[in-house]
Amino acid sequence: MSDEWKRELPTYLQHYLSLVSERDIVSGLQNSKKELLKVLATTTGEKGNYRYAKGKWTVNELLQHIIDTERIFQYRALCIARGEKQSLPGFDQDEYAKNVDVSNRTLEDVLSEFVVVRNSSIYLFKSLNNAQLNAVGLANGMKITPKAYGFLCTGHLRHHVNVLVKKYF
């Protein structure tokens, strides 16, 4: 992606966008979902509670982080697309992680939740027209568009798929 709008985003978000080659939001969402499912296809349920080092997230916790982040990105995209003028709050991923318990859930269960959330993202971004996708709003102290959040969902997932491949499997 070489769009001008991405240069205005913070470096940590540009990293996620650098992982997106698709020009179409929905294609990126669909492709990255397939990539995650392929990585986890041969994984057994016991792997859900595996962490590669002390203090690191388990596979289930990592998936829950992906789910939580995607829900927040969806919400922000929806608010901005619908004309919200209020600044939307940021979130602290570490606080969210401290306040979730996936220890009693199976990998299959958490993965099923991810699929539902990702499918919801696909429907959301399919429903937005060009003007809505390019509407500018404020979130976490920055100007951003629903279009950016659509691509960020793909890039964020790909970042964590890479982590799964390198550190967990």
Side-chain angles (χ1 to χ4, degrees):
M1 293 175 42
S2 62
D3 294 5
E4 187 70 30
W5 56 267
K6 82 175 200 175
R7 290 191 201 114
E8 298 175 17
L9 297 176
T11 304
Y12 74 98
L13 293 180
Q14 289 181 22
H15 164 69
Y16 298 141
L17 294 175
S18 74
L19 301 174
V20 181
S21 59
E22 294 87 353
R23 302 287 302 160
D24 173 67
I25 293 170
V26 173
S27 295
L29 294 169
Q30 291 169 331
N31 292 341
S32 57
K33 177 177 83 170
K34 289 175 191 170
E35 292 159 15
L36 175 67
L37 295 175
K38 182 179 177 183
V39 166
L40 295 177
T42 60
T43 305
T44 62
E46 303 87 51
K47 194 72 168 184
N49 291 314
Y50 171 75
R51 69 181 81 238
Y52 68 90
K54 185 176 183 186
K56 297 298 182 181
W57 291 338
T58 65
V59 173
N60 283 353
E61 289 168 338
L62 181 65
L63 288 172
Q64 188 64 58
H65 161 73
I66 293 166
I67 292 165
D68 289 351
T69 301
E70 186 133 341
R71 283 184 167 136
I72 290 165
F73 286 180
Q74 281 179 357
Y75 173 73
R76 290 175 180 174
L78 176 67
C79 289
I80 295 167
R82 297 294 191 256
E84 182 60 65
K85 301 300 180 212
Q86 300 296 315
S87 182
L88 301 167
F91 74 104
D92 181 338
Q93 70 178 18
D94 296 321
E95 282 300 313
Y96 277 54
K98 282 185 209 172
N99 289 293
V100 69
D101 180 10
V102 292
S103 63
N104 61 341
R105 295 181 67 191
T106 65
L107 176 61
E108 294 79 8
D109 182 53
V110 181
L111 191 56
S112 292
E113 181 182 356
F114 163 76
V115 169
V116 169
V117 171
R118 176 49 63 99
N119 287 343
S120 177
S121 290
I122 291 167
Y123 280 105
L124 170 65
F125 288 102
K126 274 184 180 180
S127 76
L128 300 178
N129 65 35
N130 220 24
Q132 292 167 325
L133 286 169
N134 290 295
V136 178
L138 289 171
N140 198 25
M142 67 185 151
K143 289 183 179 179
I144 194 163
T145 64
K147 177 181 182 178
Y149 280 120
F151 287 118
L152 285 168
C153 286
T154 293
H156 181 255
L157 179 58
R158 283 194 174 131
H159 165 78
H160 287 295
V161 167
N162 290 339
V163 170
L164 282 168
V165 169
K166 290 177 185 172
K167 301 281 187 173
Y168 290 84
F169 302 116

